[in-house]
Amino acid sequence: MTAGQGDDGQLADAVAAAERWTAHNYHPLPVVVAEATGAWVTDVSGRRYLDCLAGYSALNFGHRHPALITAAQTQLDRLTLTSRAFLHDQFADFCRGLAELCGMELVVPMNTGAEAVETGIKVARKWGYQVKGVPEGQATIVVAENNFHGRTTTIVSFSTDKDARDDYGPYTPGFRIVRYGDLAALAEAIDDTTVAVLLEPIQGEAGVLVPPPGYLPGVRRLCDERNVLFLADEIQSGLGRTGATFALDHEAVRPDAYLLGKALGGGIVPVSAMVADRSVLGVLRPGEHGSTFGGNPLACAVGSAVVELLRSGEPQARARELGDHLHQRLQSLVGHGLVAVRGRGLWAGIDIDPGRMSGRRACELLAERGVLAKDTHGSTLRLAPPLVVEAAELDWAVDQLQAVLSHRA
Ligand SMILES: *Cc1c(COP(=O)(O)O)cnc(C)c1O
């Protein structure tokens, strides 16, 4: 799996070309991917890598899952776009399938995760004014520190990450930020103006932080007591990743709305949605919210195929079983270069001993060994391989991590 001299030159050229023509709002690892199948990608020089990032969980079902590709190709040959000015024959099936998967009544299809979050914010505010009776312009939404909900100006207004937020003001008002996992702080922040609590059931970008047991049921209870909507951002945690359809399922919590994205598009097209009951989404009337591409025929065809995969329960079961195996292996490295391991299902946040190397350096060394992973915040790495990965491949990836950790900085 070692790249030759010629390949390195080719790689350097490809990296330079990309840097020449794009704003530097990303700092990608020096890997130029050309093809992929399942859990494996191949770069322009023919080197193969196990994909342990899976497009931040947009690729939960692997690269080019046959059922999803078939759904997309079939739809490409029939109809790709109508706009919501007209109905199309893929729309109702997708919305019904997704609503049933969520155990909810209505769907608002959008494209990106940030748009699903924006939809949640808008609907919660409208619900607050029309149903709860909050005085006009006063609505507040409580969010958690170290959240990641997307990149729009409103969403970064309540980010606590300087890189994501600084110099993008003036910021959208109406948000209160509390410590994640702290029920007392949440109770304190809710008042008569509060329309929603918006949370990730597991904080992904923050480093796969799992809140203390009882926190999420506690959030549900508080929201019920204070007549506040619980908006669950399951864009990264949902759709199989944690070993259940939703991360909230592990604590038997039903939110007032699911915000979904990433894997909903099967790694093929951007598909997102807000899913909730009529008592919440019923506040939207024609013309009050929408998207040109939201719920388009291609998105619906792929989204329906994703729902179909999840209906079998098989991806969730794989994530659960392989996740147990992965976490067991990773735990054995704690004290041997790893400081801590967190997560659920096929999703792990691992803190490397910062004295050994940065997370970035670890990812570079892993890539040299054929494993793609992504660092976050200093010395934390995220592992989130596609749910189609095999146990032996996971073992091999952990072996590579072990070898990397034995390097000296
Ligand atoms: C990725 C992500 C988003 C934003 O999704 P985009 O499709 O990038 O807009 C929102 N919330 C969470 C939890 C995410 O992981």
Side-chain angles (χ1 to χ4, degrees):
M1 281 215 203
T2 340
Q5 279 298 336
D7 296 340
D8 284 349
Q10 198 179 353
L11 177 62
D13 289 348
V15 170
E19 293 209 335
R20 167 67 183 80
W21 293 105
T22 176
H24 287 189
N25 57 331
Y26 279 90
H27 181 35
L29 286 166
V31 175
V32 183
V33 177
E35 289 174 30
T37 304
W40 290 84
V41 307
T42 306
D43 76 5
V44 286
S45 67
R47 278 196 76 194
R48 297 179 76 229
Y49 304 81
L50 185 66
D51 184 354
C52 288
L53 178 64
Y56 300 92
S57 292
L59 289 156
N60 274 2
F61 312 103
H63 293 269
R64 301 189 308 111
H65 186 290
L68 303 182
I69 291 294
T70 298
Q73 279 175 342
T74 304
Q75 193 56 41
L76 280 173
D77 286 336
R78 295 183 65 241
L79 174 74
T80 56
L81 193 67
T82 57
S83 86
R84 292 286 304 276
F86 315 110
L87 288 168
H88 61 77
D89 63 3
Q90 302 296 307
F91 189 77
D93 279 352
F94 168 63
C95 294
R96 188 195 39 191
L98 183 59
E100 285 176 359
L101 186 77
C102 296
M104 300 260 176
E105 292 171 349
L106 300 177
V107 172
V108 182
M110 299 294 284
N111 311 283
T112 65
E115 288 174 308
V117 173
E118 288 277 352
T119 303
I121 292 167
K122 289 171 75 175
V123 168
R125 285 177 168 185
K126 201 176 266 287
W127 173 88
Y129 298 127
Q130 296 190 351
V131 179
K132 180 166 173 169
V134 172
E136 179 54 36
Q138 304 285 302
T140 56
I141 294 176
V142 184
V143 300
E145 264 173 18
N146 300 318
N147 67 73
F148 184 85
H149 296 289
R151 302 286 194 174
T152 65
T153 40
T154 286
I155 293 171
V156 301
S157 293
F158 56 86
S159 172
T160 56
D161 176 349
K162 282 179 59 60
D163 290 344
R165 182 177 196 273
D166 280 6
D167 295 327
Y168 292 131
Y171 300 107
T172 306
F175 297 94
R176 293 181 183 152
I177 303 171
V178 297
R179 215 160 65 94
Y180 188 64
D182 184 342
L183 269 184
L186 182 63
E188 185 83 11
I190 295 175
D191 65 18
D192 290 346
T193 67
T194 306
V195 297
V197 173
L198 167 62
L199 291 176
E200 300 156 83
I202 294 178
Q203 287 191 323
E205 301 300 304
V208 195
L209 299 186
V210 182
Y215 176 67
L216 296 166
V219 173
R220 177 67 277 176
R221 207 165 43 244
L222 269 176
C223 288
D224 286 339
E225 286 167 8
R226 313 287 287 273
N227 193 25
V228 166
L229 300 179
F230 183 178
L231 306 181
D233 182 345
E234 293 249 20
I235 289 165
Q236 197 167 158
S237 59
L239 308 183
R241 173 55 57 193
T242 66
T245 306
F246 301 106
L248 281 179
D249 294 348
H250 294 287
E251 306 229 29
V253 171
R254 183 181 188 268
D256 295 297
Y258 290 108
L259 308 177
L260 303 174
K262 293 204 165 101
L264 193 54
I268 300 174
V269 278
V271 185
S272 71
M274 174 178 182
V275 190
D277 283 341
R278 196 174 301 278
S279 58
V280 176
L281 278 175
V283 300
L284 287 182
R285 316 297 316 162
E288 294 178 353
H289 186 59
S291 159
T292 304
F293 289 95
N296 71 71
L298 183 59
C300 288
V302 172
S304 287
V306 165
V307 168
E308 196 58 42
L309 287 179
L310 286 165
R311 225 197 313 256
S312 73
E314 204 234 339
Q316 297 92 318
R318 281 191 75 84
R320 198 157 53 237
E321 286 152 25
L322 292 170
D324 285 347
H325 181 69
L326 175 68
H327 281 280
Q328 222 165 9
R329 287 277 333 256
L330 290 172
Q331 280 300 338
S332 73
L333 298 182
V334 173
H336 305 276
L338 286 193
V339 176
V341 179
R342 298 169 298 274
R344 194 157 236 169
L346 262 183
W347 202 16
I350 60 184
D351 298 335
I352 296 176
D353 176 356
R356 296 214 181 186
M357 68 191 77
S358 66
R360 171 78 187 185
R361 183 71 191 130
C363 287
E364 288 165 359
L365 292 169
L366 278 170
E368 282 173 19
R369 292 177 160 272
V371 176
L372 296 185
K374 180 74 177 76
D375 56 304
T376 177
H377 307 294
S379 51
T380 299
L381 290 196
R382 274 171 295 192
L383 296 179
L387 312 184
V388 297
V389 73
E390 301 287 342
E393 294 168 337
L394 281 178
D395 279 330
W396 175 79
V398 177
D399 291 344
Q400 304 317 305
L401 177 65
Q402 194 165 7
V404 162
L405 290 173
S406 67
H407 274 253
R408 287 284 152 188

